[in-house]
Amino acid sequence: MQCPKCRGNMRTYERNGVHIEQCDNCRGIFLDYGELETLTRMETQYHTAPPPPAAGPAWGAPPPHGGHYGGHHHRQRSWVGMLFST
């Protein structure tokens, strides 16, 4: 398949059940009918999901380092990052 913008070679990627075509040359992303709506719905679900409960010691000791457990884990801010994360 050729890119409709620059005529470069298109590759198809499957991410979370959605097929996305991306141009090897201009890096443009092209979606088929209904895929944008699917991605929008997935993004809404992703951002409305409750964060996982914080784990702590069973004996009730205060957390080390001023109240932080473990490393810092942040959710990705966009469905685009979610689609192309490895």
Side-chain angles (χ1 to χ4, degrees), residues 54-62 69:
W59 59 88
Y69 287 104

Side-chain angles (χ1 to χ4, degrees), residues 27-74:
R27 307 300 289 171
I29 295 175
F30 299 90
L31 304 171
D32 293 332
Y33 180 79
E35 291 175 337
L36 180 60
E37 290 80 8
T38 300
L39 293 172
T40 302
R41 186 175 58 251
M42 290 170 60
E43 180 180 26
T44 300
Q45 291 172 350
Y46 181 78
H47 285 293
T48 59
W59 59 88
H65 308 295
H68 297 288
Y69 287 104
H72 297 279
H73 299 283
H74 299 284

Side-chain angles (χ1 to χ4, degrees), residues 1-85:
M1 177 187 270
Q2 282 188 336
C3 175
K5 180 179 176 184
C6 73
R7 303 293 179 217
N9 185 40
M10 300 287 289
R11 288 184 189 239
T12 301
Y13 298 94
E14 189 274 325
R15 295 288 192 265
N16 300 313
V18 178
H19 292 207
I20 299 167
E21 285 75 39
Q22 184 173 30
C23 177
D24 286 339
N25 189 39
C26 72
R27 307 300 289 171
I29 295 175
F30 299 90
L31 304 171
D32 293 332
Y33 180 79
E35 291 175 337
L36 180 60
E37 290 80 8
T38 300
L39 293 172
T40 302
R41 186 175 58 251
M42 290 170 60
E43 180 180 26
T44 300
Q45 291 172 350
Y46 181 78
H47 285 293
T48 59
W59 59 88
H65 308 295
H68 297 288
Y69 287 104
H72 297 279
H73 299 283
H74 299 284
R75 294 183 106 185
Q76 294 174 337
R77 300 186 194 278
S78 170
W79 57 267
V80 174
M82 181 178 62
L83 291 173
F84 294 101
S85 64

